[in-house]
Amino acid sequence: MNYPIPDSPQEIVALRQKPIDEEMVAAAIAGVIKIVRAQGQSLEDLTAQVLADDSLLDLQQRRWLSQVVAQAWENFS
C-alpha cells in the first residue's frame, strides 16, 4: 500500500492533499478504525457516526459506507 495507516485525525486530514484513489480511501478507513478503537469506541459507535445525517453523503451512500466500515472492522480484528 502506498499510504501508511494514519495514527491521528491530523494524519487523516493530511490525506486530502493526496490524489484520491482506492488505496487512499482504504488507508483513511483503516486509520479511522484504528483511532476509534484507541478511543475505546465500538463498531456500533462508529456505525452510528457514519449513518448520521450530513450534507456530504446521502442515506444510501452512508449505508453502503457503514457496511464497508463494518467489513474493514472485522478484517482488522
Side-chain angles (χ1 to χ4, degrees):
M1 183 182 296
N2 293 327
Y3 300 99
I5 296 175
D7 289 319
S8 69
Q10 295 81 8
E11 289 180 12
I12 291 173
V13 171
L15 289 175
R16 291 181 179 176
Q17 305 304 317
K18 309 286 184 185
I20 297 174
D21 63 15
E22 294 164 350
E23 288 188 19
M24 190 273 293
V25 172
I29 290 171
V32 167
I33 290 170
K34 186 176 183 180
I35 293 165
V36 166
R37 284 183 171 171
Q39 294 174 345
Q41 295 181 337
S42 68
L43 174 58
E44 291 75 24
D45 296 329
L46 180 54
T47 300
Q49 292 174 23
V50 171
L51 290 174
D53 193 15
D54 68 23
S55 61
L56 186 61
L57 302 175
D58 64 30
L59 180 59
Q60 183 178 0
Q61 292 168 322
R62 291 192 311 271
R63 286 181 180 156
W64 175 83
L65 181 57
S66 72
Q67 292 172 351
V68 170
V69 168
Q71 289 174 350
W73 183 284
E74 295 303 321
N75 289 333
F76 287 114
S77 293

